Amino acid sequence: MGSFNIDSFVLLAALLLIVGVSVTKFSSRLGMPSLVLFILVGMLIGSDGLGIIYFDNAEQAQLVGIIALVIILFEGGTQTKWSTIRPVMWPSVSLATIGVLITSLIVGFAARFVVDLSWLEALLLGAIVGSTDAAAVFASLKERNISTKVGATMEAESGTNDPMAVFLTLIFIELITVNQPNYLLLFGSFFWQMGLGLLIGLALGKVASISINHINLDSSGLYPIFALSFALLTYSTASLINASGFLAVYVAALVIGNSELTYRHSIFRFNEGFAWMAQILMFIILGLLAFPEQILSAPVIINGLLLSAVLILIARPVATFLSTIAMNYSLKEKTFLAWAGLRGAVPIVLATFAIVAEVEKGQMIFNIVFFIVLTSALIQGSSLSFMAKKLGLSGPKKETPHHSLELISIGKANAEIIEFKTDENTPIVGQKLQDIEFPDTVLVSAIVRNEKLVTPYGETEIKEDDFLYILVSRKQKNKLRRMLKRDY
């Protein structure tokens, strides 16, 4: 990589992004998670592939991975409705704590007898693969139609289980590398991380929401950057006092995403695109860090397949069923959640901790973890839709309109154009515009029906599945929401 000049590096970066974006379309047709193809791209251009880039710096990969995960968690959290998450919060927290612990212990126990590792090294491996991955889960749910309840559970679990995985990983690394660890301090740190991470997320999420709405910036393009800066601020603030930065970011994103925001549409669209770029970059970098000659060696393949089988068929199901006892989940829902425990970037990033800490068999652990992640993504990730269909848990078809109408916030006029889709429960369906008692400052500017633009006038009747584009002053948004009786 050092032999490249600046122009060559820029060209390579452009090509990688083009390939990464193209891969997402290819992956959806194959039914394969895009993260697998991103990783394969990284492995292909690495030193054991085409030899274009030589990269073996675990610390740099860890830095890229952490920043990318912050961006991905923030985007996923802002897109999540609190009304959807609230009913499944306790089961999700149980899966994110008790479930991760049970999974880690079972995989660690199996690793002790499958791989040439000490008890502490085996338990470290189990801890690293103990949590599901937010990047993999968010990406998979965007591409598939999963029922709202299990989809929300997967999102909330993956957004909140990183503290337990990080906690367990750091505990076992310290037990391996420190002669006389302070056990009381180690176990107390978990509650510190969870509690402070939650409080910091709530506080900075509220501060961010108020700031976005009350600071009048010169350009609308600055608002998405302003919002994203709070994600980085939240993570760093929490991490600097040894709280869970990832949990803080996810909680802050939930607060921001469920608040009234000016330039909401612009912020969300920017976050979505930036999160995709972060995901592409992160998985390609992680692919570069892996050497196919080592990952695809016979010992790693054999040990990886055995531990993947334990993880997918034993550890995750046991953890899921025990963590959701008496929590109003059907057998089919528990079975799907057990199968949907996707592993992705988080385990690979956590595996770099072992290398950076100079754990004696850290590279071996990294190689096996990397293989387990690939196996999980290929087997579980590619079969989510199939399993959901077989278990009768397919959700409503996700409809993305093919039309394009830029939603705007008019800062000087203190007004916004919002998008609203009607359904059978919308009170105004079947009524003519002239008969609807909208607030004085509300104007239906456009209607898109069956992919066609309808110019609204008094006699226009509102129908089910219409996309309404409504100009409303910010003072009247709450009144309009109550009138439509649905969040938008």
Side-chain angles (χ1 to χ4, degrees):
M1 193 168 179
S3 61
F4 272 52
N5 59 36
I6 294 176
D7 293 336
S8 299
F9 180 79
V10 172
L11 174 62
L12 178 62
L15 292 175
L16 288 178
L17 286 174
I18 290 171
V19 169
V21 171
S22 303
V23 152
T24 61
K25 187 67 176 179
F26 188 61
S27 68
S28 62
R29 290 186 177 181
L30 291 178
M32 182 187 300
S34 53
L35 70 90
V36 175
L37 296 180
F38 296 152
I39 288 176
L40 293 178
V41 168
M43 296 174 73
L44 178 64
I45 64 175
S47 56
D48 277 0
L50 299 176
I52 298 174
I53 298 177
Y54 180 86
F55 182 81
D56 64 352
N57 193 315
E59 290 187 12
Q60 291 181 6
Q62 189 181 109
L63 175 62
V64 171
I66 288 173
I67 293 175
L69 285 170
V70 167
I71 295 168
I72 293 165
L73 272 171
F74 184 70
E75 190 271 338
T78 55
Q79 297 284 356
T80 302
K81 291 184 178 180
W82 175 242
S83 59
T84 303
I85 290 292
R86 184 173 51 208
V88 299
M89 183 52 68
W90 287 117
S92 301
V93 171
S94 179
L95 284 166
T97 51
I98 298 171
V100 171
L101 179 62
I102 293 172
T103 302
S104 301
L105 292 176
I106 293 176
V107 175
F109 184 83
R112 174 67 181 86
F113 298 99
V114 171
V115 190
D116 181 24
L117 297 172
S118 67
W119 272 111
L120 286 177
E121 290 169 338
L123 289 171
L124 171 60
L125 192 156
I128 289 171
V129 298
S131 67
T132 60
D133 179 60
V137 168
F138 291 157
S140 296
L141 291 180
K142 284 180 181 178
E143 299 167 1
R144 293 167 177 82
N145 303 318
I146 309 297
S147 76
T148 302
K149 182 180 179 181
V150 293
T153 305
M154 290 170 62
E155 284 189 359
E157 178 197 1
S158 65
T160 57
N161 67 6
D162 293 331
M164 176 61 90
V166 172
F167 166 71
L168 292 174
T169 299
L170 294 180
I171 271 191
F172 289 119
I173 287 177
E174 186 158 348
L175 291 175
I176 292 169
T177 57
V178 178
N179 291 328
Q180 294 181 328
N182 187 326
Y183 294 98
L184 184 61
L185 185 63
L186 286 175
F187 285 101
S189 68
F190 171 71
F191 298 100
W192 174 270
Q193 287 183 40
M194 291 286 286
L196 265 292
L198 177 63
L199 290 176
I200 290 171
L202 289 171
L204 288 183
K206 192 65 178 176
V207 170
S209 303
I210 294 172
S211 300
I212 290 168
N213 286 331
H214 287 84
I215 294 179
N216 191 9
L217 300 174
D218 292 334
S219 171
S220 61
L222 292 174
Y223 284 90
I225 299 173
F226 190 53
L228 185 61
S229 68
F230 275 98
L232 299 173
L233 176 66
T234 302
Y235 175 84
S236 57
T237 301
S239 297
L240 285 172
I241 59 172
N242 296 318
S244 173
F246 290 135
L247 177 62
V249 168
Y250 184 68
V251 171
L254 280 175
V255 173
I256 294 170
N258 287 275
S259 301
E260 289 295 327
L261 294 178
T262 184
Y263 294 99
R264 183 184 190 87
H265 183 77
S266 298
I267 291 171
F268 282 18
R269 286 294 170 263
F270 175 87
N271 285 345
E272 184 179 15
F274 203 54
W276 270 112
M277 189 171 75
Q279 189 175 163
I280 291 169
L281 178 63
M282 174 178 63
F283 283 117
I284 289 178
I285 290 292
L286 294 177
L288 283 171
L289 189 63
F291 290 83
E293 186 177 333
Q294 298 177 18
I295 302 295
L296 301 179
S297 64
V300 172
I301 291 176
I302 294 171
N303 294 333
L305 286 174
L306 289 173
L307 291 179
S308 293
V310 171
L311 173 64
I312 296 171
L313 301 177
I314 301 175
R316 172 67 182 181
V318 169
T320 301
F321 277 79
L322 290 179
S323 300
T324 55
I325 290 176
M327 289 193 180
N328 197 29
Y329 282 80
S330 68
L331 177 61
K332 289 183 177 180
E333 288 171 336
K334 291 182 180 181
T335 301
F336 183 82
L337 287 173
W339 184 255
L342 296 178
R343 270 59 189 173
V346 170
I348 299 177
V349 172
L350 290 180
T352 65
F353 282 51
I355 298 176
V356 173
E358 298 182 351
V359 173
E360 183 180 351
K361 295 184 178 178
Q363 188 62 52
M364 177 194 294
I365 292 173
F366 176 87
N367 292 337
I368 294 174
V369 167
F370 197 96
F371 189 88
I372 290 173
V373 168
L374 284 178
T375 305
S376 171
L378 281 170
I379 296 176
Q380 294 171 285
S382 60
S383 58
L384 282 182
S385 296
F386 173 80
M387 289 294 291
K389 186 176 180 181
K390 286 295 181 182
L391 293 170
L393 297 174
S394 295
K397 184 179 179 181
K398 295 181 180 179
E399 296 184 26
T400 302
H402 298 293
H403 49 83
S404 175
L405 180 59
E406 182 67 21
L407 305 191
I408 59 174
S409 289
I410 307 168
K412 301 296 183 183
N414 199 29
E416 296 181 33
I417 295 180
I418 58 106
E419 178 188 68
F420 177 82
K421 186 186 178 191
T422 63
D423 58 28
E424 68 274 9
N425 297 317
T426 304
I428 62 174
V429 168
Q431 297 184 40
K432 295 180 180 180
L433 281 177
Q434 63 188 18
D435 298 328
I436 301 173
E437 296 183 1
F438 283 119
D440 292 339
T441 57
V442 171
L443 175 67
V444 178
S445 305
I447 300 174
V448 175
R449 179 178 298 157
N450 298 324
E451 308 298 334
K452 294 181 180 179
L453 180 65
V454 176
T455 302
Y457 60 99
E459 292 291 326
T460 302
E461 181 180 327
I462 304 299
K463 297 185 178 180
E464 186 178 333
D465 295 327
D466 279 352
F467 286 89
L468 308 181
Y469 293 89
I470 308 172
L471 177 65
V472 56
S473 69
R474 292 187 193 130
K475 291 182 179 179
Q476 297 289 354
K477 283 185 69 175
N478 287 334
K479 185 175 182 180
L480 178 64
R481 175 189 286 130
R482 289 192 296 269
M483 178 180 176
L484 298 175
K485 294 183 180 179
R486 204 181 79 184
D487 290 334
Y488 48 81

